Structures are given as structure tokens and as C-alpha cells.
């Protein structure tokens, strides 16, 4: 027997034998959050406030490194 539930991006899948023994049980996890360096987070916050200079500096530094 297979049981499946899915609600708002999360779910469970269970496969049982004829006797009710759980053979497989899979549950979703919360997606991992990416690690963001402090200077990138600050540039994003500045963009939210309409200030472009910190983000431009990030891309200028990337071009110079390449």
C-alpha cells in the first residue's frame, strides 16, 4: 500500500507491506538557505533602499578579478 500527502510544498510518502510494515518512509525537509557573505547582504539591503553603489562595487570587483 502506498500513502502520499502533499500540502503547501511539503509531503510524505510511505510504502507499506500487506501486513502494514513500513518499507519506505520519505518526508520533505525545509530547503536549505544559501549562505550569503556580509558584503553581499549589505549590497542587497542598499538596493532595497534605492542605493546602487554597493552592488555596482561588487560587480566592479568581479570584473577586476577576472
Amino acid at each position: 500500500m502506498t500513502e502520499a500527502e502533499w500540502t503547501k510544498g511539503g509531503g510524505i510518502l510511505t510504502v507499506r507491506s500487506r501486513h502494514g510494515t513500513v518499507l519506505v518512509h520519505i518526508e520533505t525537509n525545509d530547503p536549505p538557505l544559501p549562505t550569503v557573505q556580509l558584503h553581499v547582504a549589505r549590497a542587497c539591503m542598499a538596493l532595497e533602499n534605492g542605493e546602487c553603489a554597493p552592488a555596482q562595487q561588487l560587480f566592479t570587483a568581479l570584473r577586476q578579478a577576472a
Side-chain angles (χ1 to χ4, degrees):
M1 181 171 71
T2 301
E3 302 167 358
E5 296 177 30
W6 189 262
T7 306
K8 297 181 183 178
I12 297 172
L13 174 68
T14 304
V15 178
R16 298 179 188 272
S17 71
R18 291 183 195 153
H19 305 291
T21 304
V22 174
L23 302 173
V24 176
H25 181 82
I26 302 170
E27 292 186 44
T28 57
N29 287 337
D30 291 331
L33 296 175
T35 303
V36 179
Q37 294 180 4
L38 184 58
H39 63 281
V40 174
R42 286 182 178 154
C44 291
M45 286 187 286
L47 279 173
E48 289 177 357
N49 294 320
E51 186 180 343
C52 299
Q56 288 173 337
Q57 290 171 356
L58 288 176
F59 290 102
T60 301
L62 286 173
R63 275 188 267 143
Q64 290 173 351

